Amino acid sequence: RFVVDGIDEKTIANELNSRSVLRGPGQPWTRGTVHQVLINEKYVGDNVWNRISKKLKGRQVRNEPASWIRANNVFEPLIDRKLFERALAIIDKRSLHLSDDDLLKTLGSLLQKHGYLSGLIIDEAEDCPSSSTYTHRFGGLLRAYTLVGFTPQRDYSYLEINRRLREMHPTIVAETLHQIEARGAMVMIDRETQLIWVNQEFTVSLLLSRCLTLSSGSRRWIIRFDASLCPDVTLAVRMDPENRCILDYYIFPSIDLSALQIRLGEQNASGLDIYRFDNPLPLFDMSQRLSLRELAS
């Protein structure tokens, strides 16, 4: 309807509601909620990771496209890719002629009208570019908010961080499976628990540990182990201070674990850092099977 018939988001929302096709119990469609479906690339099943990277206390580096990791069909696609891309092209064209100053002026007017801002408020406004436009132009909605003088009463950054980590997780899992299979190992994944089985011999749990910046300025990472899954190995991916890129990896064998969680700092005892690696290659290499003749030699 949006692409082929040129019907806008508000009209689509009205049509769905008139047919009692709600987005949830007691939740009617609005212009904003329809728009957020149109721009969500998960509907074509894709996630992209490793566009940027950063070492602790180092500068953020924007990686070349050749080093990006794209996982297609991480989610079951619901929308044809060509149709999705046509929808994005229509949306992008709306704000193509607008400068950054134009975008901020419109956002400022929206703030003056409502007294506060949110992604949904932006997407509900018919005379305002989409929230995705502000995210792409300014590197995130919170930065755009700052530029027009709006500070949320609560610190909502953790919501954005959690959303970002949830999006990254399946991509990192997919890349891990790919690297293990590339070494000739047999790998399976439990879709419900995300527990990875390698060669039907040992299990791996992959988790992301967000960076917490304390009021003192020091940084902490908390790694919580899932005792209910009882994995043989836990691959803990430690995020950088902005929680946008991978900082490093910790590979913990369960036999060495005596607690349900571990707190890491910027500097750790050698008893912990023996499990730290710049990349997960040791886990991948551990998955590689060797013939008895190779072992004997």
Side-chain angles (χ1 to χ4, degrees):
R1 297 286 283 149
F2 181 78
V3 173
V4 178
D5 300 328
I7 306 300
D8 61 34
E9 295 97 326
K10 185 175 182 179
T11 303
I12 293 173
N14 291 338
E15 289 180 355
L16 290 169
N17 294 332
S18 67
R19 292 161 45 199
S20 298
V21 181
L22 304 182
R23 61 190 179 94
Q27 295 180 313
W29 290 93
T30 64
R31 180 189 187 276
T33 54
V34 169
H35 182 84
Q36 289 176 353
V37 169
L38 293 174
I39 63 175
N40 191 339
E41 65 178 303
K42 282 193 175 69
Y43 289 103
V44 291
D46 291 352
N47 256 350
V48 180
W49 170 68
N50 203 42
R51 291 183 180 181
I52 54 177
S53 59
K54 182 178 180 180
K55 293 291 185 180
L56 187 62
K57 297 183 179 180
R59 293 172 54 190
Q60 181 171 289
V61 177
R62 190 168 297 277
N63 297 320
E64 293 296 325
S67 66
W68 291 359
I69 299 173
R70 173 172 290 278
N72 295 326
N73 299 318
V74 173
F75 311 98
E76 182 178 355
L78 300 178
I79 303 299
D80 177 76
R81 185 178 301 277
K82 290 183 179 179
L83 181 65
F84 181 78
E85 291 174 349
R86 289 171 65 189
L88 290 185
I90 293 171
I91 292 169
D92 289 343
K93 190 175 180 180
R94 294 173 178 171
S95 56
L96 196 61
H97 64 287
L98 297 175
S99 66
D100 289 355
D101 288 340
D102 292 332
L103 292 175
L104 294 176
K105 183 177 180 180
T106 302
L107 191 62
S109 299
L110 200 62
L111 171 61
Q112 199 169 33
K113 177 180 178 181
H114 293 274
Y116 67 101
L117 294 170
S118 72
L120 192 55
I121 284 179
I122 294 172
D123 289 335
E124 294 286 12
E126 297 185 25
D127 56 348
C128 183
S130 72
S131 58
S132 62
T133 298
Y134 286 98
T135 298
H136 294 153
R137 286 279 192 100
F138 301 102
L141 281 179
L142 290 177
R143 172 161 169 72
Y145 293 163
T146 301
L147 293 174
V148 296
F150 172 63
T151 302
Q153 292 182 349
R154 292 179 55 193
D155 180 7
Y156 289 99
S157 60
Y158 73 95
L159 295 176
E160 173 65 18
I161 291 170
N162 289 343
R163 180 195 63 79
R164 192 184 307 132
L165 296 186
R166 285 196 300 271
E167 291 184 348
M168 288 181 66
H169 187 270
T171 306
I172 298 174
V173 169
E175 176 62 16
T176 300
L177 298 179
H178 171 73
Q179 292 292 344
I180 292 175
E181 289 177 333
R183 285 157 174 77
M186 181 176 65
V187 61
M188 298 182 296
I189 185 168
D190 186 317
R191 294 299 174 184
E192 183 175 345
T193 64
Q194 294 294 296
L195 198 63
I196 300 170
W197 282 81
V198 181
N199 293 326
Q200 294 184 329
E201 294 169 344
F202 67 93
T203 56
V204 179
S205 175
L206 190 153
L207 56 87
L208 305 187
S209 178
R210 59 177 289 188
C211 178
L212 304 171
T213 302
L214 307 182
S215 56
S216 63
S218 60
R219 298 183 173 106
R220 294 289 183 271
W221 292 260
I222 299 176
I223 299 176
R224 295 182 175 88
F225 302 100
D226 196 331
S228 63
L229 297 180
C230 299
D232 297 305
V233 177
T234 296
L235 175 62
V237 181
R238 196 163 63 148
M239 303 303 297
D240 76 341
E242 281 73 39
N243 288 292
R244 291 185 176 275
C245 312
I246 292 176
L247 176 64
D248 54 21
Y249 302 80
Y250 278 75
I251 302 175
F252 293 105
S254 61
I255 196 172
D256 289 349
L257 298 176
S258 58
L260 293 178
Q261 72 175 37
I262 291 176
R263 291 171 59 90
L264 298 173
E266 296 176 77
Q267 303 294 329
N268 300 287
S270 58
L272 282 176
D273 274 354
I274 60 172
Y275 302 105
R276 193 199 75 81
F277 301 91
D278 289 330
N279 54 62
L281 286 177
L283 173 65
F284 301 155
D285 293 340
M286 184 172 64
S287 306
Q288 186 172 3
R289 306 190 85 171
L290 299 175
S291 67
L292 290 175
R293 179 172 296 177
E294 288 177 300
L295 290 173
S297 62

